[in-house]
Amino acid sequence: ESRIGLYAALTPTWNESAFFADYVLPMGHGSERHDTHSYEQYDGQWVGFRQPVLRAARGGDARECADVYLRSRADAMADVPIVHDEQEVRRWMGDELIGHLDVTVAELDGTIVGLMALDVGPRGGLAWIDQLYLDPAWMGRGLGERFVALARQRHPNGLQLWTFAVNTPAQRFYE
């Protein structure tokens, strides 16, 4: 048992052996496949299929990251105007954020659906979650938790952040 780190079930349908699996890798055809659903594996932990991959941002991601940022801001804080136009946001994303901070994106099928920027600062103190934005379609699906878990893994001494006072969805998430 000490040699086995995890148990993966290769199965066309949900079954009893899959219940005990750490990962369920879907196989099968059409309606037999269960990779379009999520199933609770352990208390509070969901195994979801077709989840975005977290990866380091690249320079070519700036436009899509800016799009996610703009959609997320518009959805969460529709009453708060963005003081910069879309072109300025794209420039800021490409010139000042990506390549200067530790930026991770969530990508699914070649589309960026979330981003997180971490900043350690000049003195190397507690890291800041400088930016964390999700496409509105991905809010409430565990992606933000994955980003925060990654930030905690990278900076185990602690994190700091702030949100706009009117951004109640973000405040609920971080509580």
Side-chain angles (χ1 to χ4, degrees):
E1 185 177 347
S2 64
R3 292 184 181 193
I4 298 174
L6 64 91
Y7 168 63
L10 302 172
T11 175
T13 58
W14 194 252
N15 60 43
E16 290 177 5
S17 65
F19 178 78
F20 297 101
D22 294 301
Y23 295 96
V24 179
L25 305 176
M27 299 174 59
H29 303 285
S31 63
E32 292 179 340
R33 293 187 62 152
H34 52 78
D35 62 335
T36 58
H37 306 296
S38 295
Y39 298 93
E40 186 174 11
Q41 286 291 86
Y42 307 107
D43 186 28
Q45 178 178 348
W46 288 81
V47 173
F49 300 97
R50 307 283 302 138
Q51 291 293 313
V53 173
L54 301 184
R55 65 164 176 81
R58 299 185 286 260
D61 296 331
R63 182 175 184 83
E64 277 191 87
C65 286
D67 290 343
V68 168
Y69 169 88
L70 292 165
R71 283 193 306 273
S72 182
R73 284 279 314 260
D75 184 72
M77 300 178 293
D79 297 335
V80 178
I82 297 176
V83 296
H84 303 284
D85 65 27
E86 290 185 17
Q87 184 177 358
E88 290 172 325
V89 170
R90 291 186 202 315
R91 186 211 53 78
W92 165 73
M93 191 67 66
D95 295 347
E96 297 180 31
L97 206 66
I98 296 175
H100 296 279
L101 298 181
D102 179 11
V103 181
T104 302
V105 297
E107 180 182 45
L108 180 66
D109 296 333
T111 301
I112 293 175
V113 296
L115 69 122
M116 175 182 68
L118 299 174
D119 187 6
V120 179
R123 294 179 296 254
L126 292 178
W128 281 89
I129 296 180
D130 191 70
Q131 309 289 325
L132 178 53
Y133 289 95
L134 305 179
D135 186 279
W138 282 90
M139 291 180 185
R141 297 174 64 182
L143 184 55
E145 292 173 7
R146 288 178 59 200
F147 274 125
V148 172
L150 179 64
R152 286 182 175 154
Q153 177 186 355
R154 289 184 180 167
H155 300 283
N157 293 333
L159 297 164
Q160 347 180 46
L161 60 92
W162 67 272
T163 68
F164 288 100
V166 297
N167 191 350
T168 54
Q171 292 173 13
R172 281 192 308 269
F173 171 73
Y174 290 118
E175 286 177 342

